[in-house]
Amino acid sequence: MRIYLAGPDVFLPDPWAAAAAKKAVCARFGAEGVFPMDPVHCPEADAAAEPFLAIYLRNEAHLRACDAVLANLTPFRGPSADAGTVYEVGFMRALGRRVAGYSNDPRPFASRTLDFLGEQVRRRADGSWEDAEGLHLENFDCHDNLMIDGGIRAAGGPFVARAVPEAERWRDLVAFEAALRLLLEG
Amino acid sequence: MRIYLAGPDVFLPDPWAAAAAKKAVCARFGAEGVFPMDPVHCPEADAAAEPFLAIYLRNEAHLRACDAVLANLTPFRGPSADAGTVYEVGFMRALGRRVAGYSNDPRPFASRTLDFLGEQVRRRADGSWEDAEGLHLENFDCHDNLMIDGGIRAAGGPFVARAVPEAERWRDLVAFEAALRLLLEG
């Protein structure tokens, strides 16, 4: 199984080390981990004048050539996961591929959003929460926006969340490995 | 053309009013706007035990039955767009449908991310920025994470961003209408 390793890991100071660590775990289980920054044959990307578009097209080519996505959904600069990773989860669900996720922060989305907004939230008459601009806070027992949890569920999962020390949250691979095992068993 | 009206508009205190306003603009141009909360035939959703999953499955059914998505990518509780909306953009790109977006905040993603992180950013030796955990800041001339800009571009666009007064940013439809016109002309 070729597994696209989605996540903000690409932003780490040592993305290649992060890629190698994840690929080694995949290899131990007989799977192939594909990192977004891996080389890929993509003539459209080679022809793209703009660097951002070349990167996008290579990532898309990788996604199309993988059987599954295993997404790092650890919250990133806000209550939700990295936007690029979320895009890739939706993309793979629409292609009918396997979708798995993990997070190194097990708090529910509603709690994280309340923490993020702090003093700015207020109660509506029906007891639900809204932000300073009047926009509702989702309050399901979900890890992130329901489209992400729903997409993983609709695709057969798995999703694993686990608390890790703050300093390790971008490198700890215990939840990653647990999700990988469930993905390969599923 | 049936156009899925993606966005955090569903979280407004008056989502049906927001839906009606967007649908009226679509109708003026001979298109049909489909709001995520519109009723839809979806036996899987009817059978779902969990409310979040029922909502997800109905949204997915709407997406599959639309020709295009017109996404409200105005930044939502952080530097990026609403995670559910981003998921839907990736989903529709993978289905090969038309993808359009608009934002009522024209600042580039890099500026918004710098503003969001504030004192926590620092320079790397190569002149690029990283956050307090050492994760790189994208610095392309993009409106959001490059996967979103890239997906819209790869699908043929359009994307329209426009500054509106803060108090109107969830209701102003000038950029929405401009993106819709370009989508219908394209």
Side-chain angles (χ1 to χ4, degrees), chain A residues 4 8-14 50-53 55-57 59-60 63-64 76-95 109 113 116-117 124 130-131 133-138 140-142 144-154 166 169-171, chain B residues 4 8-14 50-53 55-57 59-60 63-64 76-95 109 113 116-117 124 130-131 133-138 140-142 144-154 166 169-171:
Chain A
Y4 184 88
D9 314 49
V10 293
F11 302 129
L12 285 165
D14 49 0
E50 291 153 290
F52 91 88
L53 187 58
I55 296 170
Y56 173 83
L57 291 169
N59 289 354
E60 193 180 292
L63 287 163
R64 293 186 190 276
F76 182 74
R77 298 176 190 162
S80 282
D82 166 56
T85 305
V86 171
Y87 178 99
E88 294 170 331
V89 170
F91 192 96
M92 290 297 262
R93 167 59 185 160
L95 290 188
F109 185 48
T113 306
F116 175 77
L117 294 172
R124 287 183 180 173
E130 64 178 24
D131 65 20
E133 294 178 297
L135 276 76
H136 175 74
L137 273 64
E138 275 192 21
F140 301 103
D141 187 23
C142 281
D144 207 317
N145 180 294
L146 71 86
M147 295 306 290
I148 303 169
D149 288 61
I152 293 172
R153 181 74 73 82
E166 186 76 9
R169 72 185 193 117
W170 296 115
R171 285 180 184 80
Chain B
Y4 184 88
D9 314 50
V10 294
F11 302 129
L12 285 165
D14 49 0
E50 291 154 288
F52 92 87
L53 187 58
I55 296 170
Y56 173 83
L57 292 169
N59 289 354
E60 194 180 292
L63 288 162
R64 292 185 191 278
F76 182 73
R77 298 176 190 163
S80 281
D82 166 55
T85 305
V86 170
Y87 178 98
E88 294 171 332
V89 170
F91 193 95
M92 290 297 263
R93 166 61 185 158
L95 290 188
F109 186 48
T113 306
F116 175 77
L117 294 171
R124 288 184 179 172
E130 64 179 23
D131 65 20
E133 294 178 297
L135 276 76
H136 175 74
L137 274 64
E138 277 191 20
F140 301 103
D141 187 22
C142 281
D144 206 317
N145 181 294
L146 71 85
M147 295 304 291
I148 303 170
D149 288 60
I152 293 172
R153 180 74 73 82
E166 186 76 8
R169 74 186 191 115
W170 296 115
R171 285 180 183 80

Side-chain angles (χ1 to χ4, degrees), chain A residues 18-157:
Chain A
K22 285 189 165 180
K23 288 180 181 203
V25 178
C26 291
R28 264 203 286 129
F29 292 97
E32 181 187 356
V34 174
F35 199 64
M37 294 160 71
D38 285 346
V40 63
H41 177 71
C42 184
E44 298 83 358
D46 298 341
E50 291 153 290
F52 91 88
L53 187 58
I55 296 170
Y56 173 83
L57 291 169
R58 289 197 178 94
N59 289 354
E60 193 180 292
H62 275 310
L63 287 163
R64 293 186 190 276
C66 282
D67 305 297
V69 59
L70 175 40
N72 180 353
L73 297 171
T74 305
F76 182 74
R77 298 176 190 162
S80 282
D82 166 56
T85 305
V86 171
Y87 178 99
E88 294 170 331
V89 170
F91 192 96
M92 290 297 262
R93 167 59 185 160
L95 290 188
R97 308 289 164 82
R98 299 289 306 279
V99 179
Y102 77 97
S103 173
N104 283 340
D105 184 339
R107 289 176 298 155
F109 185 48
S111 305
R112 291 201 312 274
T113 306
L114 281 171
D115 286 352
F116 175 77
L117 294 172
E119 304 280 301
Q120 297 173 57
V121 294
R122 54 186 183 233
R123 289 269 190 191
R124 287 183 180 173
D126 65 3
S128 67
W129 295 98
E130 64 178 24
D131 65 20
E133 294 178 297
L135 276 76
H136 175 74
L137 273 64
E138 275 192 21
N139 191 19
F140 301 103
D141 187 23
C142 281
H143 178 71
D144 207 317
N145 180 294
L146 71 86
M147 295 306 290
I148 303 169
D149 288 61
I152 293 172
R153 181 74 73 82

